[in-house]
Structures are given as structure tokens and as C-alpha cells.
Amino acid sequence: MDALTGLLEGPRARGAFMIRACFDPPWAVRVEDGAPLTVMVLVRGEALILPDGGEPVRLRAGDVAIARGPDPYTCADAPGTAPQALILPGQECHRPDGRPLNGSMDLGVRTWGDRPDGAAVLLIGTYPRRGEIGGRLLDALPPLLTLTPEVWDCPLTPYLCQEIARDEPGQEVVLDRLLDLLVIAALRAWFARPEAEAPAWYRALADPVVGGVLRLLQHDPAHPWTVAALAAEAGVSRAALARRFTGLVGEPPMTYLTGWRLALAADRLRDSDDTLDAVARRVGYGSAFALSTAFKRRYGVSPAEYRDRRAG
């Protein structure tokens, strides 16, 4: 398992919000939903993304943009266009004065805006929750990144265009998986770009020693790893591994493993009904008590409190 796939595998899209937005100029939509990650594919026309406090980014047909929340932004045809709709948490849609739109811009199944054949058409997918595993990745992303067809021609766009407006059994699951594929492929392309500031763990994957150790830790976190065992697997001394790992990743191997185990535990607590004992065994802790102690030290709350908060 490579690190990018590993970090995205846990917090997969579950009931993600996906829509085909169609507009004629002048148009603008203010987004204040606080979502951790939103993907936008411009199918037709042009659009501007205007982050609060950031430089506007122009999208052209074929461009893909990924916005890392929770900061708000505006999508529009031009910088001076006043928003006609406000998107709030839970995908509530209001007029700028607070009045609900009451479905007045609905155009059919997962289609919204002025008219289905609008001058600008965007496919939008939003992850409603931030997973702790994905947090390591999301924290490494800029607030807004874009990919043009010159650097990455999105092969999923035609399929997304077909699937997003379908209303068939299991369609939400199909769209969730398509969104995951789109994000993984886009981020892989982004991290390959020279302007991308990839996180230390991602850059370390290219190291012949540390890369292999990272994969061992991510693939089998429940194994009772020690620095000596990892060094033996890598064919180097303990001191050499500790020095090289810390220099490239920014923390010692066992510290990294602890953070990875606790991130996995947080995701299991949020997304499953597993008992604390089962979660502990799954991520490499000998007992629920041991996991609870480490978890509270890292997150400031007990596993039970964390689960209750996420459920709420």
C-alpha cells in the first residue's frame, strides 16, 4: 500500500454531496459550508474561484480544482458579480438575504442552477466530514489547487457527466467511489508537479530505506514493531534508521507509528460500531485502556467522547 492510497483509504466518501451546476452569466454562488474538501470539474465555459483573502483563480473547460476547507469562497463568472445563492453546512441553500431558495433552482436529479444547458457547467463533489487519516494529507494541501488539461486530462469527466444525473439503485455508492477515484488521481497528479509542496512523508517514500519502512508501518500498523525490527527489515542499523527516518519524515519511526495508529483508531470510532477493545486490537494496542490513554493524550478527549461528538 502506498502512502497516498493509505491515507485516503480510511475516510472514503460516504453519502458525499455531488451536483451538476449549470449557470448563465451573470452568476455567483457563495460557499460557506465548511466542508473539508470540495472538487470542481469545469465541463463547459469559464468560472472564477475567489477565496476570501486569496487571489482569484480562473477555471476553463477541462480544469479541475480542489478547495480545502473550511474557509469560505465564491464561485462566479466575474469578480464583481453579486452572489445569487449561499451554500451553508448540510448543503442548505439560501438567498444572500437569508431566505431559503426552496428548490427554485432545482433542474432535475443532482442538477441545479439556471438551465440544464447553461453557458457554464461544473461537476461538484464535496466530502462532508474530515477523517483523521485524511487530515495528514489535507494539512499538506494549499487552500486551493488547480490542474489543467495540459498537466492532467481528467479521464473520469465523461463518466461523471453520465452518472451524476442518474437516479438508479445504488447510485450514491457509485458516485462516492467515482469521487474517491477523482480525488486520488488528481492529488497524485498534483504531488508530481514541481510547484507542489508535498508533505515530508510523501517525499520520503522515494528513499530506498525510509520508503520501505513507511510502507511496512502503514500496511500493518497492528504488528508489534520496534526500531530494531524495522531496521532489520530495511537492512540498516537501528541508529542509522532512526537518524534517516527522523531527518526525512520529521519525527522518529515510533512517533510516526503512534500517530498513524491513533488516526486509524479515530476513523474506526467515527465510522464503525466496533467496541473499543476491537478497535484497540485492530490498530496495535494490547487493551482498550492502553488505547484510551494514548488517544486522550493525543486528542484531548476519551475515545467514547470522541465517538459521541462525531455522532452528534
Side-chain angles (χ1 to χ4, degrees):
M1 179 189 298
D2 67 85
L4 184 57
T5 300
L7 287 170
L8 284 172
E9 186 180 49
R12 297 189 304 167
R14 295 173 176 88
F17 175 78
M18 294 198 72
I19 200 166
R20 181 175 179 265
C22 313
F23 300 110
D24 287 321
W27 64 271
V29 177
R30 174 75 174 165
V31 181
E32 297 181 1
D33 60 1
L37 195 72
T38 297
V39 185
M40 292 163 274
V41 181
L42 188 61
V43 177
R44 180 191 305 150
E46 293 190 357
L48 275 178
I49 302 178
L50 301 108
D52 285 16
E55 293 296 319
V57 174
R58 182 168 294 279
L59 300 181
R60 293 177 173 83
D63 289 355
V64 176
I66 296 180
R68 172 176 58 82
D71 294 340
Y73 55 92
T74 299
C75 291
D77 68 317
T81 303
Q84 63 203 79
L86 175 64
I87 310 299
L88 298 172
Q91 299 306 321
E92 289 189 23
C93 190
H94 288 222
R95 299 182 190 276
D97 61 8
R99 291 178 297 150
L101 280 168
N102 293 328
S104 61
M105 297 182 72
D106 290 349
L107 299 174
V109 178
R110 300 185 194 89
T111 304
W112 184 81
D114 298 321
R115 61 185 177 95
D117 197 30
V121 176
L122 297 97
L123 307 181
I124 302 170
T126 298
Y127 286 78
R129 296 183 300 181
R130 178 187 176 101
E132 295 298 340
I133 298 176
R136 285 185 175 241
L137 180 65
L138 296 176
D139 290 343
L141 297 177
L144 180 66
L145 66 88
T146 59
L147 293 165
T148 66
E150 288 73 28
V151 299
W152 182 60
D153 187 12
C154 177
L156 295 170
T157 300
Y159 194 40
L160 271 172
C161 287
Q162 295 175 17
E163 293 292 328
I164 200 165
R166 286 187 178 178
D167 189 15
E168 298 182 6
Q171 193 65 17
E172 285 194 1
V173 176
V174 170
L175 293 173
D176 283 350
R177 298 294 76 78
L178 282 174
L179 180 59
D180 291 335
L181 286 172
L182 177 62
V183 168
I184 292 170
L187 293 182
R188 183 171 59 187
W190 166 254
F191 282 128
R193 302 293 302 159
E195 68 269 24
E197 295 184 7
W201 55 260
Y202 190 87
R203 297 192 302 269
L205 284 170
D207 184 82
V209 172
V210 176
V213 170
L214 279 168
R215 291 181 178 92
L216 286 172
L217 296 177
Q218 291 162 0
H219 181 69
D220 192 6
H223 186 82
W225 294 111
T226 64
V227 176
L230 291 169
E233 291 280 353
V236 298
S237 69
R238 287 183 296 173
L241 175 61
R243 182 169 57 251
R244 192 161 177 165
F245 192 103
T246 303
L248 290 175
V249 179
E251 57 187 354
M254 293 298 100
T255 303
Y256 178 89
L257 177 59
T258 296
W260 180 242
R261 284 171 168 170
L262 293 175
L264 286 168
D267 261 14
R268 295 302 300 175
L269 289 167
R270 186 199 65 212
D271 296 326
S272 78
D273 295 324
D274 292 352
T275 66
L276 189 56
D277 277 323
V279 173
R281 290 193 300 272
R282 186 184 183 96
V283 303
Y285 282 88
S287 67
F289 178 79
L291 171 60
S292 184
T293 300
F295 194 94
K296 190 166 186 177
R297 187 183 303 120
R298 170 61 63 94
Y299 294 107
V301 295
S302 70
E305 291 171 318
Y306 181 89
R307 174 172 268 170
D308 289 343
R309 288 182 183 182
R310 290 303 183 266

